[in-house]
Amino acid sequence: MKIRTLLLSFAAVAIMGIAVVLTVSGGKEQRMYYPGTTSIENGIDGAVKWLANIRNNKQTGTISMSDLLLARKQIAELSHNKSLGITWRELGPSNVGGRTRAILVDKNNSNLLYAGGVSGGLWKSTTGGTSWQQVTSFPDMNVACIGQNPLNGNLYVGTGESFAIVDSPYGTPGFVGSGLYESTDGGLTWAIYNNAKPVAGNDESLLWAFVNRIAFDPITGRIYVATNKGIKYWNGNHWVNPLSFLGSAANCNTVVVGSDRTVITVVANKVYVSFGGSGNGDSATFVESSPATALGRTEVAIAPSNPNIVYALSATTAGALKGVYKSTDRGDNWTLVAPGGAPAFNIFGDNVQGGYDNVISISPSNPDVVWAGGVYLWKYVAGGNFTQMTVGVDVHADAHAIVFDPANPNIMYVGSDGGINKSTNQGATWQKINKNYNVTQLYYVANSINGSVMGGTQDNSVPYIKRVGYDSTSADLLFGGDGGWAAFSAINTDALFGTMQYGGVWRTPDQGVTYQSATESQFFSPTMIAGLVPGTDPSYGPFVTPLLHWESFNNTYSPDSVTFVADTNYSSGAVVVVHSSNNNYPFAYTLPHAMIEGQSIRVQDIVSSHFFVAISSGVWMTKKALNFSITPQWIKISSVANVENMSISDDGNYMFLGTSGGTVYRISNILAVKDSVNGTITSPYCVIDQTMIKSFSGRSVTSTAIDPNDPSRLLVTLGNYGNTDYVYFSENALDATPTFTSKQGTTTGKKLPAMPLYSGLIEMVDGNRVLIGTEYGVFATNDITKNAATIEWTQENTGLSPVPVFSIRQQTRLFPGMTNKWGTIYIGTHGRGFFETEFFATAVPEIDKPAITKPTLNVYPNPAVDFTNVNFTLTSKASVTVNIYDLNGRLVKSIDMSQKSIGSHQESIDCSGLDRGTYIIQLVAGKESTTAKFTVMR
């Protein structure tokens, strides 16, 4: 073994005592960065554990290649079936991006770029990155690296995401690829290159499952490939592993080739060098030349302008910075230029992510200028110190690729968890270039009554797509961190709800202008689990936190009431307008008896808002989520732990919970909950019934779906490779001991492939029709009631790539003001953003209108002196203007109050500029208006 002597440079020593210089510029990130996220459990580890929990075989802790290839074989057999004809339409986000590890600038055309999402497929830009389009001819969604042969220009793409994280203690959570591909026609067509693909029987080796890096000999064009099972090169006849003596299990995370043909690779976290010249790269030419012992992931860069200059960025085995090393003799000897442990150069952050985001690159024109990426980007000029150049808003956190334009060294590209950034001035300023580059990894999809969508993502918070304006696919990013489940309100259409990792719940009353969050104690009290902080502590809640928001405009079972005070005399049977405690929403009420002015009566509040969230201690509920002026009271309605998903019946009375341990619970009698006395599960007066109705031992329950028309019919999907049955159905889920039957099928070419399922729904028009979100897109059956031999599943991916579908929802309920089609289905994909289909949709039927159609208006004090208040109620969202006229009809004042939501509002009017007298005040709300008189006194 050849370990070189280390020389600690003066600059390396100096870095430990200096302040970091920040150079921050470029566009501002469209989201709020959540305070304290650097302390969240090891950053990416939360996502890794979550994925492993629902994907890996729970008995072995890994994914067997035989199981995975069997699923792919069954998908191919199923593809011969005629589909139902479902067509999907992409909704975006068109401006967010997602985890990107691969970028290539064409060697002959600086405007021709290729990039790849780790679960979003291959993309191409012909405009230098100003806009992107998916290369739909490329057959794999899991792009890890891209290379171009310097001699003939052929393109190569390696698939499978090894760094999330194949060597982790959580098995193989990264999505497995299908091998190494080649295109000889500029990316029009693709084929596996020289049989470099995973094959059955290689369970132990997972050969070609993860292709990490591609490099080429500049003279001969020989291709070198870093795979999870060693370095490979093609010798014209077969694949050669020049370091085969290390054993088949040795992971190779990188390989680079210098202009003098020097080959440097990292295998089993040790650096090996073949020093160029004739025969370089062959088996006998490699020697170990690691810069240190006990290395973790190490990335290497050779200076394009001087192949003698080499830099290595090394993590420790725990993921912290080990050091940055420099060689001036092609890796034969190394100098430590930046040691680990210096607070001023904490490149991998407090989350010690050196095994995840670790990249180093050298300027093509200057071998003394080095760029390194971890959580943020850093720049080093030989003889100086590393300077932090980004802070996460100019370039998204977690860098994975740093690429220079070969024709213009001033132009740089960075691939990160947020997509792609470009600099045209050597990193002085940056711009996001994610237009139409939709590789966003969603965990959930929620939809509004107007067709807006939002959902939590991996490291891109919660994209909110309003679907209005010149770019209806562009998103605003809400809050921060890793997003989870989200919800809209129909009662107050400006109110949005969401979660971040580990139970961090937030709400906004104004579509993301302001927030109330869990850790600020303004919404979800941290004291629910003493000593733990939501959003930062894995013990508080699941990484992807479930929430639900059930609403009704006519909840006749509501135990809640409001007070109506008569504003005039009313006769018995008169219909009056009552305002709900939820957003002051107006509803009609028929008086049971006559009332005189000033008399009051308690009225059942039929406008209901029930908000639920699942944390480690159980499921909590509040009826005050829409009241933004208070900290809502929370009621613990369930003590079930480790809830990963939940569903609620359309009538709001039943909830089903699925846990990571494989159990399904039923929560009943929710509509009877009045307060903590009768709603708390541990209370002796509790009306809630909590029952475990099914156990799928050794599995994760990934979703439960209730028939919108019959809560006794329940669909359950399961995760984890290595099993045979993944979908179960019950027609008596409300019985004391429900019966669940596997609906996987048994007939070849008709059965559902044996792979993890992530989401499902029972279609609202035909309760026998079921759609499933899977590891490879959407599958469906027209009749879930058929037996194992006759049930038939079809692939429904027209307009949709075979991407993991983690969430699927249908607009099953009717609400006042709803404009999107009733029955529209939305999906959230883990790699391609949001999609919808109107295949099962129909026009919204006529809905009973509220008791009032015009806005109401009250003015007080009246008479006024210096000011007066206008109190008005809207029955639909509208832009509001207040006009004041004198008695001659002349407009003396006009006030634009912008857009207001449904419900009651109060605004103050300045009267100091008005003369003494009587005026007409007009309230204009959209196309409706109303007037009132008021008097100004002096």
Side-chain angles (χ1 to χ4, degrees):
M1 185 170 69
K2 186 179 182 183
I3 304 295
R4 296 300 179 185
T5 302
L6 303 182
L7 303 176
L8 185 61
S9 71
F10 174 79
V13 177
I15 195 174
M16 293 185 284
I18 65 169
V20 178
V21 178
L22 297 181
T23 304
V24 182
S25 54
K28 183 179 181 182
E29 184 76 35
Q30 297 181 66
R31 68 165 172 171
M32 166 183 161
Y33 272 83
Y34 197 82
T37 53
T38 55
S39 65
I40 294 172
E41 179 195 322
N42 293 331
I44 190 62
D45 273 11
V48 168
K49 288 180 179 179
W50 186 83
L51 282 172
N53 182 62
I54 63 174
R55 298 183 68 244
N56 292 13
N57 184 313
K58 288 202 172 185
Q59 280 66 51
T60 66
T62 62
I63 297 174
S64 163
M65 182 54 66
S66 289
D67 292 337
L68 188 143
L69 293 180
L70 173 62
R72 292 178 178 177
K73 177 177 179 291
Q74 292 173 339
I75 291 172
E77 294 169 345
L78 199 63
S79 65
H80 300 299
N81 286 359
K82 185 178 179 180
S83 75
L84 303 184
I86 299 172
T87 299
W88 299 96
R89 177 169 62 234
E90 184 176 351
L91 301 181
S94 61
N95 61 326
V96 176
R99 187 151 75 243
T100 299
R101 292 191 177 274
I103 302 173
L104 175 77
V105 183
D106 185 85
K107 68 185 187 72
N108 298 318
N109 182 355
S110 294
N111 286 321
L112 179 57
L113 309 178
Y114 291 90
V118 296
S119 59
L122 182 66
W123 295 73
K124 176 181 179 180
S125 173
T126 58
T127 59
T130 59
S131 183
W132 296 85
Q133 61 185 31
Q134 187 182 9
V135 181
T136 56
S137 61
F138 188 75
D140 198 304
M141 297 304 295
N142 310 308
V143 175
C145 55
I146 308 171
Q148 184 175 34
N149 190 303
L151 302 186
N152 57 27
N154 288 351
L155 298 170
Y156 299 82
V157 175
T159 64
E161 190 191 10
S162 175
F163 297 112
I165 302 171
V166 72
D167 292 328
S168 77
Y170 318 116
T172 313
F175 291 103
V176 176
S178 54
L180 175 68
Y181 289 84
E182 178 190 44
S183 175
T184 60
D185 55 10
L188 295 177
T189 59
W190 298 85
I192 289 290
Y193 181 64
N194 290 320
N195 207 35
K197 62 181 180 180
V199 294
N202 280 327
D203 289 349
E204 296 302 320
S205 64
L206 289 169
L207 190 61
W208 294 110
F210 301 94
V211 180
N212 301 323
R213 190 80 174 266
I214 301 168
F216 296 90
D217 185 299
I219 304 302
T220 66
R222 173 191 280 182
I223 184 171
Y224 294 90
V225 186
T227 78
N228 60 302
K229 299 304 172 186
I231 181 176
K232 314 284 185 186
Y233 70 80
W234 180 253
N235 71 355
N237 295 303
H238 59 272
W239 289 102
V240 176
N241 182 349
L243 296 174
S244 59
F245 60 86
L246 296 175
S248 61
N251 178 52
C252 176
N253 61 273
T254 192
V255 58
V256 292
V257 182
S259 59
D260 66 345
R261 306 178 66 190
T262 295
V263 181
I264 304 180
T265 186
V266 181
V267 181
N269 293 329
K270 295 180 179 179
V271 178
Y272 294 86
V273 183
S274 176
F275 288 98
S278 178
N280 72 303
D282 292 341
S283 300
T285 64
F286 281 94
V287 296
E288 187 193 341
S289 187
S290 298
T293 58
L295 295 175
R297 179 181 170 187
T298 297
E299 291 294 331
V300 180
I302 301 175
S305 61
N306 184 351
N308 291 313
I309 305 298
V310 182
Y311 281 86
L313 174 61
S314 297
T316 66
T317 55
L321 177 64
K322 180 83 170 183
V324 181
Y325 306 88
K326 178 182 180 180
S327 173
T328 58
D329 53 12
R330 299 181 297 175
D332 199 28
N333 294 279
W334 297 92
T335 299
L336 179 62
V337 297
F345 184 39
N346 188 17
I347 187 170
F348 300 133
D350 295 336
N351 295 327
V352 291
Q353 294 193 165
Y356 173 67
D357 42 25
N358 183 328
V359 60
I360 190 164
S361 186
I362 305 173
S363 169
S365 60
N366 189 344
D368 291 330
V369 177
V370 180
W371 284 81
V375 177
Y376 305 122
L377 290 179
W378 297 72
K379 183 179 179 181
Y380 173 77
V381 179
N385 301 295
F386 273 90
T387 301
Q388 186 176 340
M389 302 300 290
T390 63
V391 293
V393 292
D394 40 5
V395 175
H396 195 284
D398 301 323
H400 305 292
I402 302 173
V403 176
F404 290 89
D405 183 341
N408 185 348
N410 291 322
I411 298 177
M412 299 173 59
Y413 297 91
V414 172
S416 69
D417 275 9
I420 307 172
N421 284 77
K422 179 179 182 179
S423 174
T424 58
N425 50 19
Q426 301 184 59
T429 59
W430 295 91
Q431 59 179 319
K432 294 177 179 65
I433 54 169
N434 288 329
K435 184 178 181 181
N436 298 325
Y437 182 64
N438 181 11
V439 296
T440 310
Q441 294 179 308
L442 289 166
Y443 292 120
Y444 190 78
V445 60
N447 64 280
S448 76
I449 61 173
N450 298 318
S452 301
V453 292
M454 64 176 172
T457 68
Q458 171 55 38
D459 207 21
N460 283 281
S461 61
V462 177
Y464 168 38
I465 302 178
K466 300 177 183 179
R467 302 182 69 180
V468 295
Y470 74 94
D471 186 357
S472 61
T473 59
S474 180
D476 294 332
L477 293 186
L478 305 180
F479 213 67
D482 297 295
W485 290 34
F488 289 89
S489 172
I491 297 172
N492 178 357
T493 53
D494 287 333
L496 309 176
F497 304 89
T499 61
M500 62 180 294
Q501 65 279 346
Y502 305 127
V505 182
W506 54 263
R507 63 179 177 174
T508 170
D510 43 28
Q511 300 189 59
V513 177
T514 60
Y515 294 91
Q516 294 178 358
S517 67
T519 54
E520 295 169 351
S521 304
Q522 292 176 315
F523 181 39
F524 188 43
S525 173
T527 58
M528 289 186 182
I529 304 181
L532 303 179
V533 180
T536 61
D537 196 320
S539 301
Y540 195 91
F543 176 76
V544 178
T545 304
L547 64 77
L548 289 173
H549 189 206
W550 180 86
E551 295 177 303
S552 175
F553 289 86
N554 189 30
N555 178 13
T556 57
Y557 296 98
S558 172
D560 306 314
S561 61
V562 292
T563 299
F564 171 75
V565 179
D567 56 350
T568 187
N569 296 332
Y570 290 100
S571 60
S572 178
V575 178
V576 296
V577 176
V578 180
H579 293 278
S580 168
S581 62
N582 287 299
N583 201 45
N584 291 309
Y585 198 94
F587 63 92
Y589 177 70
T590 303
L591 292 177
H593 53 72
M595 294 183 68
I596 62 175
E597 183 178 355
Q599 189 177 5
S600 64
I601 185 175
R602 294 296 290 178
V603 176
Q604 182 188 36
D605 190 350
I606 61 173
V607 179
S608 296
S609 164
H610 296 172
F611 187 88
F612 309 87
V613 63
I615 58 175
S616 295
S617 63
V619 178
W620 295 73
M621 167 187 172
T622 182
K623 297 184 178 184
K624 300 297 182 182
L626 292 176
N627 189 337
F628 287 86
S629 64
I630 65 170
T631 298
Q633 178 195 32
W634 289 86
I635 305 167
K636 185 179 180 180
I637 65 168
S638 169
S639 58
V640 177
N642 301 314
V643 173
E644 292 291 339
N645 57 82
M646 51 188 180
S647 56
I648 191 166
S649 58
D650 271 24
D651 65 9
N653 199 44
Y654 301 96
M655 179 180 288
F656 292 92
L657 311 176
T659 74
S660 59
T663 51
V664 179
Y665 285 83
R666 181 183 62 223
I667 310 299
S668 305
N669 214 25
I670 297 171
L671 290 180
V673 173
K674 180 176 177 61
D675 51 31
S676 59
V677 175
N678 80 332
T680 300
I681 191 66
T682 55
S683 168
Y685 308 104
C686 183
V687 297
I688 290 289
D689 177 70
Q690 174 182 290
T691 307
M692 195 271 280
I693 60 172
K694 181 64 177 177
S695 175
F696 300 94
S697 181
R699 306 291 295 278
S700 286
V701 178
T702 53
S703 78
T704 59
I706 308 170
D707 187 330
N709 303 299
D710 184 355
S712 66
R713 305 177 83 240
L714 182 69
L715 184 78
V716 176
T717 65
L718 304 175
N720 310 109
Y721 276 107
N723 297 279
T724 56
D725 299 297
Y726 289 85
V727 57
Y728 286 81
F729 181 68
S730 173
E731 299 209 56
N732 61 345
L734 299 185
D735 287 3
T737 55
T739 301
F740 286 85
T741 305
S742 171
K743 296 298 178 178
Q744 196 79 17
T746 57
T747 305
T748 300
K750 294 184 178 181
K751 63 184 177 182
L752 191 63
M755 59 185 171
L757 309 181
Y758 302 126
S759 54
L761 67 78
I762 300 172
E763 205 275 313
M764 71 174 195
V765 175
D766 183 348
N768 291 334
R769 189 159 47 206
V770 163
L771 276 70
I772 299 287
T774 79
E775 182 98 323
Y776 295 97
V778 176
F779 291 73
T781 180
N782 248 337
D783 192 351
I784 194 69
T785 65
K786 287 186 176 180
N787 61 36
T790 58
I791 193 169
E792 183 172 338
W793 291 91
T794 58
Q795 211 170 348
E796 303 294 335
N797 288 337
T798 301
L800 174 71
S801 303
V803 63
V805 176
F806 282 173
S807 180
I808 181 167
R809 296 288 182 268
Q810 186 173 30
Q811 177 64 51
T812 60
R813 305 187 64 209
L814 292 171
F815 291 115
M818 196 166 88
T819 59
N820 64 316
K821 286 190 175 181
W822 187 36
T824 299
I825 293 176
Y826 304 85
I827 58 175
T829 74
H830 198 66
R832 287 287 287 111
F834 301 100
F835 287 77
E836 72 171 4
T837 181
E838 295 180 345
F839 184 77
F840 304 106
T842 184
V844 177
E846 190 69 25
I847 305 173
D848 289 340
K849 302 297 183 183
I852 52 176
T853 58
K854 286 192 174 186
T856 62
L857 175 64
N858 292 308
V859 183
Y860 63 92
N862 189 7
V865 180
D866 293 323
F867 76 95
T868 190
N869 297 309
V870 291
N871 184 282
F872 55 94
T873 299
L874 304 182
T875 59
S876 61
K877 188 174 183 178
S879 295
V880 173
T881 302
V882 170
N883 297 317
I884 299 176
Y885 298 89
D886 63 19
L887 293 182
N888 293 318
R890 291 176 299 187
L891 178 66
V892 296
K893 193 179 186 72
S894 182
I895 307 166
D896 182 0
M897 294 187 173
S898 70
Q899 195 171 69
K900 301 294 183 182
S901 62
I902 297 172
S904 295
H905 304 270
Q906 179 176 305
E907 299 287 344
S908 180
I909 303 295
D910 182 5
C911 300
S912 60
L914 299 179
D915 295 332
R916 179 186 179 98
T918 301
Y919 295 86
I920 304 296
I921 186 167
Q922 178 193 42
L923 178 85
V924 180
K927 296 181 180 180
E928 302 289 344
S929 68
T930 188
T931 59
K933 284 185 179 182
F934 77 104
T935 302
V936 175
M937 302 289 291
R938 286 287 186 265

